[in-house]
Amino acid sequence: MDILTFESIYQERIWGGQNLKTVLSRDIPSDPIGESWEVCDRPEAQTRVKETGTTLHELWTGPDKAEVFGTDAPKTERFPLLIKILDAKEKLSLQVHPPADLAPKFDGEPKTECWYFLETTDEAAIYVGLKKGVDRKAFETAVEEKTVADCFHKLPTKQGEFMFLPSGRVHAIGSGNLILEVQQNSDTTFRVYDWDRVDAKTGKPRDLHVQESLECIDFDDIEPIFAQPHGNRLLRCAYFDMDRIPFYEKEHQEIEVKPTGLVYGFVSYGTLQIGEKQLPRGTSFFLPASSGRHVIESSEEYSELITATWPS
């Protein structure tokens, strides 16, 4: 089975911009697009394989599942990962995702995720975890006084940095960040504060979920730092492993896909050539479990590939 690429699903967001068009050369609607769902198997949204028109869910539940996803694929009803590109022209809400032990209480889904920074402006930053000295009581007081942003640990961002966000870690993406996000297949988000802004379409503030947030926040999560890669390895967690592979012009590298699991790939910089397919920056693709060995080279002076695989 050959390489599979996907048709993206674009989502309007109050905080979105046009970087998918200007940076990644996507043909997107004129409205501010905040998210591109690259690989998605949700009841409300399905990405399709460009080569066949098949939905991701049809692949996941079809007779060729092992050929695509491997013999070690998780035994879940839906493909267990949701992969997005986020374009934050404006900052996102201060929010948290429920841990696995609390998600059922709120009829939600747990969500551990990570961010790889594709492009950042000079002023770009993120809010992640809590500052030293902030406990639950201080946080609750800040929520009432609308100073809760002062409780968050703020970090400036730059291209190539990587942040891991286990469920329970409070966070917000600041303005000026273009991000590849790999996460559990979940769309449960509790907003604790949304900067007092009003949705231009409805004329009303977006809903907040303060009590749910207070129950889900890990108040022991103090001033986390960016991930420190070990060689190509960016992350190993219970839900996925991630690597960053650099390529230099005319340099060939091989990826051997084992029958146990597929390789998800995202071209984070430059242009890559795999067989007869040229993959420009921003391309999402699968190397199916049955596809064996692939020779990959850069079509530019420097290119970069982010991969995600089943946890080892």
Side-chain angles (χ1 to χ4, degrees):
M1 186 174 287
D2 201 2
I3 180 174
L4 303 176
T5 57
F6 294 92
E7 297 177 357
S8 303
I9 302 172
Y10 298 117
Q11 305 282 357
E12 292 182 31
R13 296 291 185 260
I14 191 174
W15 40 264
Q18 290 287 307
N19 275 326
L20 290 163
K21 179 178 181 179
T22 58
V23 175
L24 300 183
S25 302
R26 298 283 187 90
D27 182 15
I28 64 171
S30 58
D31 293 308
I33 298 298
E35 301 185 8
S36 173
W37 290 15
E38 299 288 286
V39 175
C40 176
D41 179 9
R42 301 282 304 166
E44 70 274 19
Q46 287 286 320
T47 47
R48 291 184 178 272
V49 177
K50 288 182 179 179
E51 290 76 10
T52 65
T54 306
T55 68
L56 181 56
H57 190 65
E58 288 169 343
L59 277 181
W60 186 250
T61 57
D64 299 327
K65 178 178 179 178
E67 290 186 32
V68 180
F69 303 102
T71 55
D72 285 354
K75 294 177 173 56
T76 54
E77 180 182 354
R78 294 186 176 275
F79 184 73
L81 302 180
L82 176 56
I83 300 173
K84 305 176 181 178
I85 304 172
L86 308 178
D87 177 16
K89 181 181 179 182
E90 306 294 340
K91 53 194 173 187
L92 278 67
S93 62
L94 300 170
Q95 58 187 243
V96 68
H97 307 300
D101 60 332
L102 291 176
K105 176 179 179 179
F106 302 110
D107 294 323
E109 302 159 305
K111 181 177 174 182
T112 286
E113 60 187 337
C114 62
W115 297 334
Y116 184 78
F117 294 84
L118 301 171
E119 291 280 339
T120 61
T121 63
D122 292 341
E123 298 79 23
I126 53 174
Y127 304 79
V128 182
L130 299 168
K131 290 181 179 178
K132 291 179 182 178
V134 175
D135 57 14
R136 177 164 179 161
K137 183 177 180 180
F139 193 90
E140 289 177 337
T141 299
V143 169
E144 293 174 2
E145 297 177 351
K146 296 188 177 181
T147 59
V148 69
D150 295 337
C151 297
F152 280 61
H153 178 48
K154 186 177 180 180
L155 286 168
T157 58
K158 62 182 180 181
Q159 183 182 20
E161 286 182 317
F162 184 85
M163 176 59 72
F164 179 56
L165 297 115
S167 56
R169 173 169 284 177
V170 287
H171 60 272
I173 301 172
S175 60
N177 288 294
L178 183 66
I179 295 173
L180 172 69
E181 179 179 88
V182 178
Q183 59 163 88
Q184 287 179 274
N185 187 352
S186 166
D187 202 28
T188 302
T189 297
F190 297 139
R191 301 186 196 101
V192 66
Y193 184 60
D194 197 31
W195 313 101
D196 296 322
R197 62 186 159 195
V198 173
D199 189 323
K201 291 189 175 181
T202 65
K204 299 178 180 179
R206 294 194 297 172
D207 291 338
L208 299 180
H209 318 92
V210 174
Q211 291 307 312
E212 296 91 336
S213 297
L214 289 171
E215 289 196 50
C216 292
I217 290 171
D218 178 0
F219 284 97
D220 293 322
D221 185 25
I222 305 298
E223 298 194 359
I225 62 173
F226 291 106
Q228 307 301 306
H230 297 278
N232 288 347
R233 177 55 51 88
L234 290 171
L235 172 70
R236 179 178 291 160
C237 74
Y239 310 105
F240 48 85
D241 294 344
M242 291 187 64
D243 289 84
R244 173 176 55 195
I245 306 172
F247 291 82
Y248 298 91
E249 191 172 17
K250 305 306 179 185
E251 173 192 29
H252 291 76
Q253 295 194 51
E254 294 185 2
I255 290 182
E256 183 77 28
V257 187
K258 299 178 181 179
T260 50
L262 61 71
V263 173
Y264 165 78
F266 181 84
V267 183
S268 54
Y269 197 85
T271 303
L272 293 175
Q273 187 84 26
I274 304 180
E276 296 182 355
K277 287 201 172 186
Q278 191 172 69
L279 306 175
R281 187 183 191 193
T283 302
S284 284
F285 62 91
F286 280 168
L287 299 178
S290 63
S291 62
R293 183 175 64 92
H294 297 268
V295 178
I296 305 175
E297 67 174 290
S298 175
S299 301
E300 302 182 27
E301 184 176 348
Y302 177 76
S303 298
E304 186 180 82
L305 177 67
I306 304 297
T307 63
T309 55
W310 302 135
S312 54

